[in-house]
């Protein structure tokens, strides 16, 4: 198991850089169909949710985003696909990988086996991070599109709605409502997973599920032990603890100020990127009073000297946390925090800061993540061809504990992997060369919902890590709020948001660093209203109200 996305992409997806991007960039293309699709997108019937029952987890998931938990590897693997999905034809795929590329198709025995299992001659263009945002438009411009194309929500891709309408297959009738039951592994995905694949009132692809919980502070427990643990009930207590652990060669927090404001704004009850007030009016988190309060608090933390005195874009903060130089860093989700600390120090188990109530109003709320890293669309073709592609995607979405999933992720026993002393598959040298990179690309295209398993976490404490993170997820879900605009669209977003996010984050850094005054914050948003923010909110408002009707 791997969470598989880089820190750069993770934090971009989770913070202001990609606010609203899970959906809104999809129609940011000036397409005449975009506006017409607002009401339909709000009302489209999402696929039914039918959880896979072939393997029973030790800790059950739920539709709100709680991950299934396995304390051991299933002794008997289930079969989730009854027949070979393909018809022997050639199938091409564009996707992204997050590890070293695999051996090329011609010299990769596992790749040949994947083709055989799928019943097609599979070729794949494996983009890398960074680089996918350049590769995707280049392939589109070339005109000869792959059969399957992964579309991410956070890489600024343009003209997606036009591309979908003109070149890709509308799969709504094949997966909407109970129709998805023809593809049981795809039906194992929750409605929240499918929302990012809805554009102009149509469903365009199979989702790429990802952990549903969002950004958190993860702390080095050895550092926070002197402050009675990494937790707080108020801003005053958090400040006091940060001061207490700061000293010598240790500082409480990493110096990525934008992420600090993002996580701490949860404590003040700011919207999850895009929200709606009591009257139903669309609000943007960074111009909210709650965000400003969080920014004020981060300025106070900076003046108190609790941030590591380094580059606010520092790339080695996680390593410095493991070394005891930094007490806490922002991670994309709690599992990522625990996994990373175990990677850098197997004896280190990150503590997760649960959002505390900053002002006594019980407004604290955790921000749900998007729950996917995109979806894979299918090139237009005959119904038979499109359904075959859905069968292939259904195979790729095989759940944890199935024969298909083990094969895709680890290959063939003996040559590609062996079972360790706890019964979990571990890749051999050959498996790392042939399987790992291809699996990364296939899992990016689509995969089953994320599960917590001991093998996710390096070291010998995996069972406890599963129990701990399952408990943390339960805690976070008690107050978790969604981004109100997921599944809704704004043309203005694609046109303006890149510049807005850059300028806003630069201003956050300058204010916290003391180069600019906090009194400049509100005027910045007043200036940005007519430059595009008002239009974004108007377009989201229209789409949301269409769904209300």
């Amino acid at each position: 198991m791997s969470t598989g996305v880089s820190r750069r992409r993770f934090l971009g997806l989770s913070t202001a850089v990609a606010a609203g991007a899970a959906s809104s960039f999809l129609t940011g293309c000036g397409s005449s169909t975009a506006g017409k699709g607002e009401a339909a997108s709000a009302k489209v019937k999402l696929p039914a949710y039918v959880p896979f029952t072939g393997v029973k987890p030790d800790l059950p998931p739920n539709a709100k985003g709680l991950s299934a938990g396995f304390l051991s590897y299933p002794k008997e693997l289930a079969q989730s696909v009854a027949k070979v999905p393909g018809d022997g034809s050639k199938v091409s795929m564009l996707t992204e990988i997050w590890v070293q590329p695999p051996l090329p198709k011609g010299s990769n025995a596992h790749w040949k086996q994947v083709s055989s299992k799928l019943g097609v001659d599979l070729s794949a263009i494996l983009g890398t991070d960074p680089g996918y945002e350049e590769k995707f438009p280049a392939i589109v411009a070339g005109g000869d599109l792959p059969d399957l194309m992964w579309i991410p929500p956070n890489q600024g891709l343009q003209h997606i709605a036009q591309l979908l309408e003109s070149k890709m297959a509308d799969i709504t009738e094949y997966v909407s409502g109970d129709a998805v039951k023809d593809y049981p592994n795809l039906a194992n995905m929750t409605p929240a997973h499918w929302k990012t694949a809805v554009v102009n009132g149509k469903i365009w692809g199979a989702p790429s599920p990802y952990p549903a919980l969002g950004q958190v502070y993860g702390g080095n427990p050895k550092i926070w032990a002197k402050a009675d643990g990494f937790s707080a009930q108020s801003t005053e207590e958090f400040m006091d603890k940060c001061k207490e652990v700061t000293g010598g060669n240790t500082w409480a927090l990493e110096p990525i100020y934008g992420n600090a404001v993002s996580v701490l704004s949860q404590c003040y009850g700011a919207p999850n990127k895009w929200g709606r007030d009591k009257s139903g009016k669309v609000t943007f988190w960074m111009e909210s009073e709650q965000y400003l309060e969080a920014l004020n608090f981060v300025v106070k933390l900076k003046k108190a000297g609790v941030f590591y005195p380094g580059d606010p874009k520092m790339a080695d903060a996680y390593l410095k946390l493991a070394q005891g130089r930094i007490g806490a860093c922002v991670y994309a989700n709690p599992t990522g925090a625990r996994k990373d600390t175990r990677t850098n120090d197997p004896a280190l188990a990150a503590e997760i800061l649960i959002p505390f109530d900053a002002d006594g109003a019980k407004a604290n709320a955790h921000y749900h993540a998007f729950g996917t890293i995109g979806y894979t669309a299918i090139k237009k073709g005959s119904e038979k061809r499109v359904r075959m592609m859905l069968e292939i995607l259904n195979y790729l979405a095989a759940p944890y504990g199935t024969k298909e999933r083990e094969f895709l992720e680890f290959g063939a026993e003996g040559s590609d992997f062996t079972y360790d002393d706890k019964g979990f598959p571990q890749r051999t040298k050959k498996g790392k060369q042939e399987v790992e990179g291809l699996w990364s690309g296939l899992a990016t295209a689509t995969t089953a919902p994320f599960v917590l398993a001991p093998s996710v976490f390096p070291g010998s404490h995996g069972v406890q890590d599963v129990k701990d993170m399952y408990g943390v997820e339960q805690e976070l879900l008690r107050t978790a709020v969604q981004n109100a605009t997921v599944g809704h669209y704004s043309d203005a977003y694609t046109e303006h948001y890149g510049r807005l996010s850059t300028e806003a984050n630069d201003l956050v850094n300058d204010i916290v660093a003391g180069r600019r005054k906090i009194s400049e914050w509100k005027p910045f948003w007043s200036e940005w209203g007519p430059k595009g923010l008002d239009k974004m909110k108007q377009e989201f408002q229209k789409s949301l109200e269409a769904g209300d009707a």
Side-chain angles (χ1 to χ4, degrees):
M1 288 297 299
S2 173
T3 51
V5 180
S6 73
R7 171 171 166 82
R8 179 180 73 87
R9 191 71 68 206
F10 246 160
L11 298 183
L13 184 61
S14 301
T15 63
V17 174
S23 54
S24 55
F25 89 96
L26 298 176
T27 54
C29 60
S31 169
S32 61
T33 64
K36 296 177 183 178
E38 287 171 344
S41 292
K43 293 181 177 296
V44 66
K45 187 174 183 179
L46 296 172
Y49 174 47
V50 185
F52 181 71
T53 59
V55 179
K56 185 178 180 180
D58 299 290
L59 305 171
N62 64 31
K64 293 181 179 180
L66 182 64
S67 301
F70 289 84
L71 303 180
S72 60
Y73 193 65
K75 293 181 179 179
E76 293 188 13
L77 301 182
Q79 185 166 340
S80 66
V81 177
K83 61 180 182 179
V84 175
D87 61 2
S89 62
K90 294 183 178 180
V91 170
S92 54
M93 171 188 291
L94 171 65
T95 185
E96 184 165 3
I97 60 173
W98 313 93
V99 296
Q100 289 295 315
L103 291 177
K105 178 182 176 181
S107 55
N108 189 324
H110 175 67
W111 197 318
K112 295 175 184 177
Q113 284 298 310
V114 170
S115 290
S116 177
K117 295 282 188 181
L118 295 177
V120 296
D121 180 5
L122 178 69
S123 60
I125 302 168
L126 304 174
T128 57
D129 173 38
Y132 195 78
E133 57 266 46
E134 288 81 29
K135 183 178 288 290
F136 187 98
I139 289 173
V140 171
D144 185 14
L145 299 185
D147 296 292
L148 300 168
M149 296 184 71
W150 177 64
I151 300 177
N154 66 322
Q155 297 190 25
L157 303 180
Q158 304 287 310
H159 309 303
I160 293 299
Q162 285 181 336
L163 172 67
L164 294 172
E165 293 283 2
S166 63
K167 301 294 184 181
M168 311 310 286
D170 171 11
I171 65 169
T172 309
E173 66 176 297
Y174 308 134
V175 298
S176 179
D178 287 341
V180 77
K181 293 178 181 178
D182 289 341
Y183 312 98
N185 292 339
L186 297 181
N188 186 44
M189 300 180 191
T190 70
H193 289 132
W194 289 96
K195 282 186 177 181
T196 54
V198 177
V199 180
N200 290 345
K202 303 167 187 174
I203 303 171
W204 293 98
S208 309
Y210 212 71
L213 282 300
Q215 273 194 325
V216 295
Y217 259 128
N220 181 329
K222 296 178 182 178
I223 292 174
W224 295 96
K226 65 161 56 177
D228 198 26
F230 191 41
S231 63
Q233 299 302 313
S234 66
T235 49
E236 181 180 6
E237 183 181 7
F238 186 74
M239 172 70 81
D240 288 344
K241 286 193 172 189
C242 286
K243 289 179 179 179
E244 188 173 353
V245 302
T246 298
N249 289 319
T250 299
W251 288 263
L253 306 173
E254 67 173 345
I256 304 180
Y257 308 133
N259 286 338
V261 182
S262 173
V263 171
L264 292 171
S265 68
Q266 300 179 45
C267 301
Y268 289 88
N272 181 358
K273 312 308 181 279
W274 298 91
R276 300 181 81 181
D277 63 19
K278 293 180 180 179
S279 69
K281 183 180 178 181
V282 171
T283 60
F284 181 54
W285 71 315
M286 294 185 85
E287 63 171 346
S288 69
E289 289 295 327
Q290 297 94 332
Y291 187 94
L292 179 57
E293 290 176 0
L295 177 56
N296 261 307
F297 181 56
V298 171
V299 170
K300 293 176 182 177
L301 288 168
K302 173 66 174 176
K303 290 179 178 177
V306 301
F307 284 104
Y308 182 86
D311 182 352
K313 297 180 180 179
M314 66 186 303
D316 63 344
Y318 292 172
L319 182 59
K320 281 184 167 57
L321 181 142
Q323 294 169 341
R325 302 290 303 282
I326 291 175
C329 294
V330 174
Y331 296 82
N333 55 54
T335 296
R338 181 61 66 90
K339 177 183 176 182
D340 188 270
T341 53
R342 290 292 195 203
T343 298
N344 287 317
D345 182 349
L348 204 59
E351 289 184 288
I352 308 303
L353 181 70
I354 304 299
F356 50 85
D357 184 14
D359 57 10
K362 298 189 183 301
N364 54 306
H366 176 69
Y367 296 158
H368 257 292
F370 296 134
T372 75
I373 55 168
Y375 61 93
T376 292
I378 300 170
K379 186 167 69 173
K380 280 186 177 179
S382 65
E383 177 177 346
K384 182 179 179 181
R385 178 77 174 173
V386 171
R387 284 193 176 275
M388 184 190 76
M389 296 298 166
L390 283 169
E391 294 285 2
I392 290 172
L393 293 168
N394 180 70
Y395 189 105
L396 298 182
Y400 186 81
T402 64
K403 297 176 181 178
E404 297 84 4
R405 171 59 176 268
E406 183 181 82
F407 164 72
L408 290 169
E409 187 170 3
F410 296 104
E413 183 184 1
S415 59
D416 297 321
F417 78 91
T418 58
Y419 294 104
D420 64 17
D421 57 358
K422 293 182 174 62
F424 287 93
Q426 298 293 332
R427 295 188 187 98
T428 61
K429 180 179 179 180
K430 179 174 179 290
K432 289 182 177 296
Q433 293 175 332
E434 297 188 3
V435 180
E436 186 174 52
L438 183 58
W439 159 249
S440 180
L442 297 176
T444 296
T446 191
T447 189
F450 176 76
V451 303
L452 293 164
S455 55
V456 170
F457 307 98
S460 59
H461 306 283
V463 171
Q464 188 60 49
D465 290 336
V466 169
K467 293 177 180 178
D468 288 349
M469 293 304 100
Y470 189 81
V472 166
E473 288 194 4
Q474 289 176 309
E475 282 288 321
L476 294 174
L477 282 168
R478 288 192 178 100
T479 62
V481 294
Q482 297 278 1
N483 178 334
T485 65
V486 174
H488 298 269
Y489 314 103
S490 164
D491 288 338
Y493 171 84
T494 300
E495 183 178 356
H496 302 295
Y497 198 82
R499 185 161 61 94
L500 167 61
S501 65
T502 298
E503 291 183 9
N505 282 299
D506 286 346
L507 182 55
V508 167
N509 284 332
D510 286 344
I511 289 172
V512 177
R515 293 185 293 268
R516 296 178 69 176
K517 297 179 179 179
I518 201 162
S519 60
E520 298 179 58
W521 186 250
K522 285 190 175 182
F524 172 86
W525 295 103
S526 296
E527 293 169 6
W528 253 101
K531 291 195 295 185
L533 181 60
D534 288 345
K535 186 65 173 177
M536 292 182 220
K537 290 190 288 187
Q538 290 166 8
E539 290 173 352
F540 281 135
Q541 189 77 43
K542 184 177 179 181
S543 182
L544 285 159
E545 288 177 351
D548 295 338

